[in-house]
Every structure is written in structure tokens, then in C-alpha cells.
Amino acid sequence: MMSDDDDFDLTLFLPYLLNQAAEASSMQFQQFYKDRYGMLRTEWRVLFHLGLYGQMTARDIGLRAKMHKTKISRAVQKLSERRFVSRARDDEDRRVERLSLTAQGRAAYRDLYAVAQRYDAELTAGMTQGERHALRQLLVKLQDRGSTSGDRNSGKTAGRT
Amino acid sequence: MMSDDDDFDLTLFLPYLLNQAAEASSMQFQQFYKDRYGMLRTEWRVLFHLGLYGQMTARDIGLRAKMHKTKISRAVQKLSERRFVSRARDDEDRRVERLSLTAQGRAAYRDLYAVAQRYDAELTAGMTQGERHALRQLLVKLQDRGSTSGDRNSGKTAGRT
DNA sequence: GCTTGTTAGTTACAAAAACAACTATTACAA
DNA sequence: TTGTAATAGTTGTTTTTGTAACTAACAAGC
């Protein structure tokens, strides 16, 4: 047991705490989209973004979700095979594909939206209204730290803590 | 763009925010242990725990860090090969291995401890003292949600959000 | 002593992620 | 034009992870 010099507590190291909390909640929430729709995390995220923002390209999703394009490409492929997502070439720029949810995709989105809402409420059940709000605001601040310089759409997934 | 019924904002969904923040900070911090010591995240975590708590078994680490035993086994192997960690059979119970840091391991730990301290300070630079504290307390609360029932030492790593 | 069960840790194999190299298309400048 | 660079997205290969099955050591009942 080596506490070096001063009062910094490594067990309260922010990247560590964030990862622990993220893993715990993600593991639990995963159960819903996995059990009900056999989706992977990347697939749920793509569905989530398309449901939320409507039609998008893979690139758009990458920018918003900070996901790497190969992950998106493969998620879209799966979602498309399972008829949750439809893809359409853009005739203005034929490199681009415009993605959107099918009726089935929208139904899954609505379902999972409701589940997410309940789950979020459950997670924050022990908090005051003020804490809830503060937590989200602080996390929003933290999530953008780092994506400062160059290299857009690189969106590699973290080699965590 | 489909906001279903009420006022729940999926972009503020806690598992999502937590993951974004965790990924952003982990990606940045990773740079240090990766560049300087060629460590993986799991290896850094094991080092971190051994530095913090002194001698431990793989099982102990698994319980504290909620890491699966196979991850720990592999991390210990690497750390041992690179002479950061030494392993010694326990003669009371010869299934058990008592792990501890070598001099080199302690040096790396001290170095990374200091880096972590600085990095943590940098991350929370925009916050008030109260916010810092509140954030950590809330994250501590969140990290234990879920590990309720049975199956100790299962520590699967999240299939995140 | 022997069976039966449990625990610590490892290893083998399958799934998912990271990373790099690729195709197709557009942009733009000589 | 044509040649170079850039962009959207895909595919192939390598690492890392997840999962399950395994070995070795103990424990407890009989």
C-alpha cells in the first residue's frame, strides 16, 4: 500500500470511476436490446441515433457518436439485413448512403426508448433532482474533452482506463 | 426525429453519457501507460491495484476491480514477463498466487500515479470543489448498481451501451 | 482412505474490436 | 482533360476480449 505523497486517491481517479460506472450500467442495459432484438452495442447505438435524428449518413453517425466508421459500417450491415435500417444511395453524391429506420426499426426504437427512459430513472433513483442534472451536465462537459485537434471521424474506441 | 412522448432526452441517457465520458478520458490517459510502458488497459489496472493495495491474489484484484479472471491472468502474465510483477505460490494454499510489484513495477506505479494525479486535476479543472466531490460520489454510487446478486468474481466486461 | 464438490487460476476457441489497406466517387488544380 | 488529393464507405488481418472447458489443489462427508 503506497500512497506516494499527498491526498490524491487513485480509487477516485475519474477515468477509473467513469469506466466502472459505464461498464456497470451498460452491462445491465445491454440485456434489453440483446435479449429482445439480438443487437450488439454498436447496433443499438446506430439505431438510437437514427431514431433520434432521423435520416443520417454513416459519417454523420460517426461524428455524433464518436464511433469508428468500420464499426458503423458493420452495424449498418447487420441492421439492414435484419430490416431495421434501410439504405439509399444519394444521387447528388454517390459515395454517400442515406440511412433511415424501417417501420420495424422505428418500432424497436420506440420500445427501447421507453425502456431506456425507465432504466435511466431507475439508475438515478437515489439522487435528488439537482444531483441528476448536475451529473449530466458534468458528464457532457467531460465527454468532449480530448476531441480537440485534427483527424475528424477517426472515432477509435477507447482502450479504456 | 422522433421524441416519442414526454421530456426524456436520449442524448442525456446516463449509460450513453458515461460511456462517452469514459471513452474520452480513457483514450487520453491510455497514452501515458501505453507510450511509456507499452501496457494495455488491463495491465495498467492490475499494476494500479497492486501499487495501491500491496500484495494481492488474482482473485482479490478481480473482486476489487470487477475484472474477469481471464483478463487478470493474462495481464499478470504480461506484467510478470516484463518484470513489473512477481508471483509467488502461497504455501498455505498452493492454488493461490501472491502477486506483488517488483522494484521496476513500483517505479512505474509511482510515475503513473503522479501522471494520473495531474491528469485528474486537468479533467476537473473547470469544476468547482463541490462539483468535483459530487461527481465522484455519484459515480461511486453508480458503479455498484448491478453487482447485486450471486456469481462472485464473474466480472465480465461490459458490452457497452 | 475415497468420492463429490468447490475454488484459484490457465488455456482453447469464438466473437468482437482495432487497425490498415482498399474501392469507388468527387473535388480541384495544372 | 488529366493527374493528385480527399472523402464515404468496405473489406481483410491482427489484437483483444468473452466464454467455456480445463487442471490442480483443497475441503468435507462418509
Side-chain angles (χ1 to χ4, degrees):
Chain A
M1 210 173 292
M2 180 185 292
S3 50
D4 241 71
D5 34 59
D6 47 49
D7 66 334
F8 173 65
D9 181 356
L10 198 45
T11 64
L12 295 180
F13 183 42
L14 221 43
Y16 180 69
L17 283 182
L18 287 167
N19 267 291
Q20 295 285 108
E23 279 193 15
S25 65
S26 291
M27 275 297 287
Q28 287 194 276
F29 187 69
Q30 172 192 221
Q31 161 200 353
F32 299 112
Y33 55 78
K34 194 174 156 200
D35 289 358
R36 299 189 189 190
Y37 302 101
M39 284 184 200
L40 243 33
R41 172 210 170 209
T42 49
E43 291 155 27
W44 149 244
R45 280 223 193 170
V46 165
L47 186 90
F48 164 138
H49 278 84
L50 289 174
L52 201 50
Y53 299 110
Q55 195 181 67
M56 301 176 90
T57 68
R59 181 172 174 279
D60 295 336
I61 296 175
L63 289 176
R64 291 245 193 210
K66 294 192 194 98
M67 270 169 79
H68 190 73
K69 58 185 182 174
T70 62
K71 266 180 164 180
I72 297 170
S73 174
R74 281 163 180 148
V76 166
Q77 199 178 311
K78 278 268 180 66
L79 288 169
S80 164
E81 278 167 18
R82 295 181 191 177
R83 310 291 174 213
F84 288 116
V85 162
S86 65
R87 355 173 59 168
R89 278 283 158 215
D90 180 349
D91 280 313
E92 303 293 291
D93 181 344
R94 301 182 357 79
R95 289 170 300 185
V96 170
E97 218 169 28
R98 325 188 96 223
L99 306 169
S100 49
L101 294 185
T102 62
Q104 198 187 147
R106 282 191 297 277
Y109 175 75
R110 271 193 299 271
D111 178 33
L112 290 172
Y113 180 98
V115 172
Q117 179 169 18
R118 277 200 303 279
Y119 180 66
D120 194 274
E122 202 179 297
L123 268 184
T124 59
M127 305 180 193
T128 68
Q129 213 24 271
E131 284 177 328
R132 265 175 259 238
H133 187 252
L135 177 59
R136 284 186 232 271
Q137 289 319 303
L138 291 171
L139 290 175
V140 168
K141 263 192 228 170
L142 282 173
Q143 89 184 319
D144 295 315
R145 299 263 189 163
S147 31
T148 31
S149 64
D151 193 16
R152 280 286 120 252
N153 196 212
S154 78
K156 316 185 186 244
T157 278
R160 276 161 244 86
T161 302
Chain B
M1 211 172 291
M2 179 186 291
S3 49
D4 240 71
D5 34 63
D6 45 53
D7 66 336
F8 174 65
D9 181 355
L10 199 44
T11 63
L12 296 181
F13 183 42
L14 221 43
Y16 180 70
L17 282 183
L18 287 168
N19 266 292
Q20 294 286 109
E23 278 194 14
S25 65
S26 292
M27 276 296 287
Q28 288 195 275
F29 186 71
Q30 171 191 222
Q31 162 199 352
F32 299 111
Y33 55 78
K34 195 174 156 199
D35 291 358
R36 299 188 190 191
Y37 302 101
M39 283 182 200
L40 242 37
R41 172 209 170 210
T42 48
E43 293 157 24
W44 149 244
R45 282 222 191 171
V46 166
L47 186 90
F48 164 138
H49 278 84
L50 288 175
L52 202 50
Y53 299 109
Q55 195 181 68
M56 301 177 89
T57 69
R59 182 172 174 278
D60 295 335
I61 297 174
L63 289 175
R64 291 244 193 211
K66 294 191 195 100
M67 272 169 76
H68 190 74
K69 57 185 183 173
T70 62
K71 267 182 164 178
I72 296 170
S73 173
R74 282 159 185 158
V76 166
Q77 198 177 311
K78 279 267 180 68
L79 288 170
S80 163
E81 278 167 18
R82 296 183 190 174
R83 311 292 175 209
F84 288 117
V85 162
S86 66
R87 357 173 58 168
R89 278 283 158 216
D90 180 350
D91 279 314
E92 302 293 290
D93 183 343
R94 301 180 1 78
R95 288 169 301 184
V96 171
E97 218 168 26
R98 326 187 96 225
L99 306 169
S100 49
L101 295 184
T102 61
Q104 198 187 147
R106 283 192 296 276
Y109 174 75
R110 272 193 299 271
D111 179 32
L112 290 172
Y113 181 97
V115 172
Q117 179 170 18
R118 279 200 302 281
Y119 180 65
D120 194 273
E122 201 181 296
L123 267 185
T124 59
M127 306 179 192
T128 68
Q129 211 28 269
E131 283 177 329
R132 264 174 259 237
H133 187 253
L135 177 59
R136 284 187 231 271
Q137 289 319 303
L138 292 170
L139 290 175
V140 168
K141 261 191 230 170
L142 282 173
Q143 89 184 317
D144 295 316
R145 299 262 188 164
S147 30
T148 30
S149 66
D151 195 14
R152 280 287 123 249
N153 195 213
S154 80
K156 317 186 185 239
T157 278
R160 272 161 245 85
T161 304

